Amino acid sequence: MKPAELKEQLQNGVLNAYANLYADVERQTARMIEAIDCFTEMYGEDRDIAVFSVPGRSEISGNHTDHNHGCVLAGAIDRDIIAVAARNEDGVIRFHSKGYPEDTVDLSRIDSPNNFRKFTSRALVAGLARGFEKEGYSIGGYDAYSTTEVLKGSGISSSAAFEVMIGNILNHFYNDGKVSAIEIAKLAQFSENEFFGKPCGLMDQMACAVGGFVYIDFADPKNPIVEPIDFSLTNAGYSLCIVNTGGNHANLNADYASVPAEMKAVAAVLGKEVLRGVTEKDLIDNAGKIRAEVNDRALLRAFHFVRENNRVGVIRSALKTSDVDGFFRGITDSGNSSFKYLQNVYTTLNPKEQGLSLALCLTETLLAGKGGACRVHGGGFAGTIQVFVKNEYADEYCKAMDSVFGEGAAMNLRIRPVGATMLFGE
């Protein structure tokens, strides 16, 4: 489809067909038209283009469980990255993200991660192409311009959405859309691990690629069990709000690393590599030994893992049976466990900065008697909290949190039912 033709269709309301993805169709229409204009300015008007979309994600339950082969529950959100793209014949992927320099990857050089500098978006592009190639899928060049509402530092997985987008375009342009969302997520993880240089898990990529609520069991990390769950939070009368407290993420690497390290140290005392399979009885029976060989906090974090891993299954069952009250009980218990046992709500390096603790306190006060639930979101120590609030209170709640943490700190979101997709084809 030519750019002028697609712009005309957008102006005539074609995006209304995607009202389940976008709450504000008018604003998103303007966003897509702007992206098409930027694409044509960079790559030419006489191209057959397509428009792609990949959502961000929210961790629903399973706080710090995946790295010990546990279970998680995540959800795609209605903040996405969109890309306008066209195939090319020169074997080069050119990917320009708004506000950043263009990434250019020659597909003849993707045979080795050493050809690309670690921790760069260019390495991620190359890694996705290499992943497709090594699995026997077709690859080819394309030119793309993207813009995103999955903002960096907001705890909704901007990097995973970017990775999945690279694979999403390769899938539709060169594989007729036949590569599954689960496989794209795995290839995104391969890219981040092998080319980018970060030993990440798979939850973020899987949630962005699959869409909706998704349950993932990492008992076998190379072959996780993935189960989409058909539940509409919106129809149940609730919104998902993410509040960015604006905490300082500097010098938190040691805090993040300490969680899996301490959990695995407890597992080692019990003769295991990870905590998956350890029971509360195992921890109680060996509590003295664990305290002596590791430390008290590690034991508390192990208790969190065992209980949180079981809790994911309970929350999953609540969603599958539309037990909203049971779902919120599980979310509340998850938050309490994260605060008391996992202890990832603030860093001990700067105990006077407790944005997450304050946000949780204010939320519990503002929403007292109004239903819903709240918890720390993602890795913790700084960053964001997750809040489930009745639709009729959501705007008022976000306004109140913005007054404390800054304009735009509170994001009023919906769980998006669709993951990585092509909105409009060539």
Side-chain angles (χ1 to χ4, degrees):
M1 187 181 303
K2 300 299 183 185
E5 180 185 355
L6 181 51
K7 283 176 61 176
E8 183 179 358
Q9 289 188 18
L10 286 165
Q11 289 163 346
N12 290 333
V14 70
L15 200 60
N16 286 314
Y18 292 104
N20 62 330
L21 304 190
Y22 299 114
D24 188 344
V25 170
E26 183 177 349
R27 184 175 66 82
Q28 294 297 334
T29 294
R31 177 185 174 217
M32 289 185 189
I33 290 173
E34 180 184 19
I36 293 170
D37 287 340
C38 290
F39 173 90
T40 58
E41 184 178 338
M42 293 189 67
Y43 301 117
E45 296 183 3
D46 192 28
R47 304 289 297 274
D48 288 316
I49 63 169
V51 178
F52 301 86
S53 169
V54 174
R57 74 92 185 102
S58 176
E59 172 201 281
I60 306 299
S61 182
N63 200 214
H64 281 284
T65 52
D66 56 335
H67 47 61
N68 268 254
H69 297 192
C71 302
V72 299
L73 184 70
I77 59 171
D78 62 345
R79 295 282 179 99
D80 68 343
I81 174 175
I82 60 169
V84 179
R87 305 179 201 227
N88 65 45
E89 302 299 327
D90 55 12
V92 174
I93 292 178
R94 300 178 185 87
F95 198 98
H96 186 102
S97 300
K98 182 179 180 180
Y100 295 91
E102 180 186 70
D103 292 308
T104 302
V105 172
D106 184 338
L107 296 178
S108 68
R109 300 187 68 249
I110 62 173
D111 56 303
S112 172
N114 296 328
N115 293 333
F116 303 90
R117 187 159 60 90
K118 299 287 188 185
F119 306 111
T120 64
S121 53
R122 185 167 172 260
L124 289 174
V125 175
L128 259 299
R130 175 57 186 149
F132 267 70
E133 185 179 63
K134 78 179 182 65
E135 293 301 323
Y137 300 123
S138 298
I139 62 172
Y142 61 78
D143 302 322
Y145 175 88
S146 79
T147 180
T148 185
E149 292 185 338
V150 188
L151 301 178
K152 257 186 178 179
S154 56
I156 52 179
S157 293
S158 58
S159 60
F162 174 84
E163 295 159 18
V164 171
M165 177 59 82
I166 301 302
N168 187 31
I169 299 173
L170 285 172
N171 183 27
H172 287 281
F173 273 175
Y174 293 102
N175 295 276
D176 298 321
K178 294 178 181 178
V179 184
S180 72
I182 292 172
E183 185 65 16
I184 291 174
K186 290 180 179 179
L187 296 176
Q189 182 193 31
F190 163 82
S191 176
E192 190 159 348
N193 291 171
E194 301 299 324
F195 278 67
F196 187 78
K198 181 180 177 182
C200 70
L202 186 57
M203 178 187 72
D204 294 350
Q205 293 88 345
M206 195 67 74
C208 293
V210 174
F213 284 102
V214 59
Y215 165 84
I216 313 168
D217 185 339
F218 289 108
D220 179 358
K222 293 185 178 179
N223 297 286
I225 297 171
V226 180
E227 178 191 10
I229 299 174
D230 184 16
F231 175 80
S232 173
L233 186 68
T234 302
N235 290 346
Y238 285 85
S239 297
L240 165 63
C241 296
I242 302 295
V243 181
N244 188 350
T245 65
N248 185 2
H249 284 77
N251 302 316
L252 292 181
N253 286 342
D255 284 303
Y256 294 128
S258 71
V259 177
E262 289 185 1
M263 287 183 179
K264 289 175 181 178
V266 172
V269 173
L270 301 175
K272 297 179 177 292
E273 292 185 5
V274 294
L275 284 175
R276 182 65 181 265
V278 170
T279 66
E280 282 200 39
K281 186 176 186 305
D282 294 330
L283 297 177
I284 293 169
D285 290 348
N286 293 277
K289 185 179 181 182
I290 293 168
R291 293 187 70 205
E293 296 187 22
V294 192
N295 58 60
D296 290 343
R297 187 176 69 176
L299 179 55
L300 287 167
R301 285 174 164 173
F303 272 108
H304 166 82
F305 172 88
V306 172
R307 293 172 180 175
E308 183 80 346
N309 199 50
N310 291 332
R311 189 177 296 117
V312 172
V314 173
I315 294 175
R316 166 195 176 210
S317 296
L319 286 179
K320 292 179 72 171
T321 58
S322 298
D323 178 6
V324 177
D325 290 338
F327 171 63
F328 290 145
R329 282 195 300 271
I331 295 298
T332 299
D333 290 344
S334 174
N336 289 337
S337 180
S338 294
F339 207 137
K340 292 191 292 186
Y341 307 130
L342 181 60
Q343 299 181 28
N344 70 330
V345 176
Y346 62 90
T347 174
T348 56
L349 296 175
N350 185 15
K352 291 184 179 180
E353 183 182 286
Q354 293 200 35
L356 295 180
S357 307
L358 176 60
L360 291 167
C361 173
L362 292 171
T363 298
E364 290 176 351
T365 303
L366 290 168
L367 300 182
K370 297 178 178 177
C374 62
R375 65 191 278 273
V376 62
H377 184 241
F381 299 108
T384 59
I385 68 165
Q386 176 188 77
V387 185
F388 295 93
V389 54
K390 283 186 177 178
N391 293 334
E392 58 261 38
Y393 304 130
D395 289 341
E396 177 186 351
Y397 167 77
C398 289
K399 184 177 180 180
M401 298 305 278
D402 282 356
S403 72
V404 178
F405 297 104
E407 188 68 29
M411 296 175 279
N412 186 0
L413 308 172
R414 300 187 302 177
I415 295 295
R416 167 171 150 154
V418 176
T421 189
M422 181 170 67
L423 298 174
F424 305 105
E426 297 169 285

